[in-house]
Amino acid sequence: MAPQPVVTGLSPKEGPPGTRVTIRGEFLGTRATDLIGLTICGTDCLLSAEWKSSNKIIARTGFAKGKGDIIVTTVSGGVGTSTVQFRAYHETIGPLKESAVWIEESPMQSLTWGRRTLAPSGYTQDDPLGLSIEGNEKKFPEDLREIFPDCNGDLSQENFSPGWFLLENHHGTSFEDLKAGLAYLKRKVESQKEGQLSFLKSNAGSVIDQLDTLMNIREKFQEDLKEIGPEPLKELELSIESSIKESKNIFNDVLTRKEKADSTRAALFALSRHRFLFCLPNAIDKSAAAGEYDIVVNDYSRARNLFGKTEIPIFKKVLDEVDHRVLNVRKQLHEKVVKMPQSVEQQKKLIKALVNLEIQQSGMLVNERLRTIDPAWDAIDARAKYLEQTFKQTFDLMASKDSEKEKSYFSESKSRERDPNQPPNRVLFCEEICDIAASQLPDLWRLGQSYFTGELRGTSDPKPGDFKRIILSSIEKFCTFLRVVLLVQLDQRLMRQTTGLSWPSSSSSVTQQFLLWLPQCLRYMRIAYATLIQLDLPSEALDIVQKFIDDLRLFCFSTIFKRSIDRVKKLVQKETWIMGVEDFPGATMLPSMLEEIIVETLEEGQNACMNPEIREGNLLESQSEGQRELSQKLQDMLSAFCSVIENLASQSQDDEGHQPTISLLGFSSFQQNGVERKNWDSATSWEQRILCCLANCSYCSKVFFPHIGTIFVKYGYPLPKLAIETSRASMNQLFTTLLEDFVERKSDPLVGTIEPSMYIAQFQWDSEMEIGKLRPYAQECCDNLVGVYSEIFTISPSLLRPVLEPITQTIAEELARLMSCVQNFSRSGAIQANVDIRLIRDALKLYSNETAKTFFMEALEAIPPPEDPKRIDQILDNIKQNMKLQLMSFTVPNP
């Protein structure tokens, strides 16, 4: 509890009633409502008190006199104390002094034999000393109650004290004037004593006439006693009664007419006085017709307060009529409340008027004619139904437009193209239904909040569970319509069975055009979602919208990737066979084109749908549907890229109109249809294309696909490890397939020329021959290998070992087979065969695997051992020296 109020200062310290006083002190209240009492000199002055602060109060003094304390009372501190006092006095107001009241200027007569005025003023009285008191405005400084405790200064009081009177009215009068006033008072008293005799002298005739009249009355009274007797009053009473009876007979008609006139006058007066009640029925109808329902409520409330308990029949009859009119107004109000569309403010205004009228008529018999209703809840239900109806009408309208538009396009020329800048009807529907939800759902929510906070509550109990069901149902319907229209990848038959809704089927081109507008639809949805978030809706309602937005984001992201996959498939037409990868010879610009598509795809996906907004989660969380979709789409994109490389390789083989022939120089593969291709940018051979495809496969598997992972991480996406590894495996498989095909196409002709060249001109190994140089088959085999080496080295040196190793194995196997088929070797034939096989073996040493080495060994073992190995070594060295230029390329370990 706060400390008691204490008054420590006062300004001014004295004054007449009505003086404006400034009171200062401590703990005078914490606020205006805390001040509950203020007395000055024992007079309550709370009504005029003006609280300024806890240290200051301004008030006006009451009708008090004398000194007294100033007591302040507060709720927080209780009754206070005062260390100062206020002195109150009454001023004497003369005719020349300013005053706030009317002063009776005529003097009050004080003669003993005279008559006093009918309304003497309490503010003026004649001074018995005959002196003016206007010069004594300054009051006596001391309190006269203390000097004269049981006296009074009023001349009309019994305890009149001359000393009080003189101090109060003449404390400033000089002694000479007081002496003159005493002389005046004495003369006045003497004149009053002589006034009785002089009165008789001046009025002697009138006194004698009065005496004569009294004598005549006495004589007449004695005569009446002789004639009538001692009781004349009975006769007088009978006479008076007969007079009254006769007067009634005479004036009966007049009195009747007077009574009628009086009753009519009374009725007219009642009508005039209570005109409000009698005009109220028509006034209620006019106000209701004008929509001024507040006036209806106020007038009806006023009538019930004034005449609700009346027993007068006419008033009760009028009140019954008013009740019936109000009942009709309630019915009209209820119809308007549930009529849509209308603004929330207008609806709330109607509900408040209806609730007030319902409360005022509750418990009445007339109220039984209208069933008990809850207007606020009916308004909520009507607004919710109108919202769902608007959703359905918009859906049907846009669906019918889309169906008619599709039919018109089919009926017209197929060459006509759609305007890509014109949004499809699906997009228009999304925009319109989002606008409807963003405008009407907040109105429904605010109306419900006003109902549950008590602003619109009537006599019925609220229904929070039902309202929550309405909100959830409205939002669920909103998302269902959008799900049917926007998520075209869903099973439309299943959606039609579960929701009863179906959008007209569209052609593939129309659907593809719509998919380009998906990010815009997502933007419309997010704008509507932001509006719903501001309403502080329950989390269950927001989760419904968030779930749909996540699905739409994922579908939008999937659509963006599908378009990118289509672009990747078209890279077949954009391959220029320009090798532009510095660190990986043979690789073309095809992977960089794929990288551009991936970067554009990731940027578009991030800007359109991946970046989460208000209350949206991350679609690419670990083990989420979004991450699985991202991995699958990337895998599909890389798989499409693998197909692009495969298609390019197959086209390269299909473009080659004939099988290349291997000449002694081994460069015939660079010619096609008799035209030499020197410029690779304008025309490349099939070998170069396949080698570029192999280089691209190797580059993608080793460098580019892992690089894709860094791109995803750079743009804030999770690392798609599974998709990359799967794609690398697919690319390696493609590399193996293309390599096998290329090796087969290169090795079959090369190996096929060995046997014909070996036995050309009916050569036999058992005949004697000139030795010292290679046989034509060995020379041609080396030259052909040099040609293959040159092709590969020019395009991609890294492919030398993968290509030459299986070719070397095939050559070794063929030589082993041919040598094993020779039955007899001459001495020179054995030396020549040994030199040929060893030269080929030594030349291809770097590209011989264990299997090839085994075949070379089998070929040498099939030849009889030489008698002079040194001679063979000498011949082999001479041949190697002569073929140094051809053999040099096979000696570079890492070209």
Side-chain angles (χ1 to χ4, degrees), residues 283-293 295-296 336 349:
I284 287 176
D285 291 342
K286 291 181 180 179
S287 299
E292 299 174 346
Y293 296 104
I295 297 177
V296 174
K336 290 185 177 182
K349 180 181 177 182

Side-chain angles (χ1 to χ4, degrees), residues 32-91:
T33 55
D34 195 23
L35 180 65
I36 59 174
L38 174 63
T39 58
I40 302 176
C41 297
T43 305
D44 187 5
C45 301
L46 180 62
L47 187 61
S48 63
E50 183 180 357
W51 185 87
K52 295 293 185 180
S53 66
S54 60
N55 304 105
K56 181 180 178 181
I57 297 174
I58 298 177
R60 291 190 178 272
T61 60
F63 192 81
K65 197 169 185 181
K67 284 188 176 181
D69 294 333
I70 296 89
I71 306 300
V72 177
T73 305
T74 62
V75 176
S76 58
V79 180
T81 58
S82 175
T83 60
V84 295
Q85 289 185 325
F86 181 80
R87 177 176 173 271
Y89 56 83
H90 292 182
E91 287 186 330

Side-chain angles (χ1 to χ4, degrees), residues 256-326:
T256 302
R257 290 194 299 270
K258 181 179 181 301
E259 289 178 357
K260 290 182 179 179
D262 290 342
S263 62
T264 303
R265 190 179 300 108
L268 292 175
F269 176 75
L271 288 173
S272 177
R273 182 178 180 184
H274 304 291
R275 183 185 306 171
F276 162 73
L277 178 63
F278 293 104
C279 296
L280 186 57
N282 291 332
I284 287 176
D285 291 342
K286 291 181 180 179
S287 299
E292 299 174 346
Y293 296 104
D294 292 340
I295 297 177
V296 174
V297 174
N298 294 333
D299 290 348
Y300 184 65
S301 176
R302 179 183 172 192
R304 296 302 307 177
N305 291 332
L306 294 176
F307 305 100
K309 297 181 180 180
T310 184
E311 297 295 334
I312 301 175
I314 185 64
F315 288 172
K316 295 177 68 176
K317 185 176 181 181
V318 174
L319 277 179
D320 291 340
E321 180 64 22
V322 170
D323 290 336
H324 285 84
R325 298 289 179 92
V326 170

Side-chain angles (χ1 to χ4, degrees), residues 434 478 482 521-529 545 548-549:
C434 288
F478 167 60
L482 287 173
C521 296
L522 178 60
R523 176 52 46 199
Y524 293 147
M525 191 65 199
R526 280 175 164 173
I527 293 174
Y529 186 42
V545 184
F548 172 71
I549 289 180

Side-chain angles (χ1 to χ4, degrees), residues 519 555-565 601 604-605 608-609:
F555 178 57
C556 182
F557 183 71
S558 177
T559 303
I560 292 172
F561 258 92
K562 286 182 179 179
R563 290 202 302 270
S564 300
I565 292 172
T601 303
E604 184 180 0
C609 52

Side-chain angles (χ1 to χ4, degrees), residues 407-435:
K407 290 179 182 178
S408 65
Y409 274 114
F410 276 114
S411 61
E412 295 177 2
S413 175
K414 294 184 179 180
S415 62
R416 178 177 177 180
E417 296 181 356
R418 302 173 188 264
D419 185 5
N421 296 324
Q422 183 180 4
N425 286 323
R426 291 176 186 263
V427 180
L428 296 177
F429 169 76
C430 177
E431 180 181 6
E432 188 166 351
I433 196 173
C434 288
D435 290 341

Side-chain angles (χ1 to χ4, degrees), residues 800-816:
L800 285 173
R801 180 170 298 280
V803 175
L804 290 180
E805 189 171 293
I807 293 178
T808 300
Q809 180 178 335
T810 304
I811 292 173
E813 183 179 3
E814 180 65 14
L815 292 175

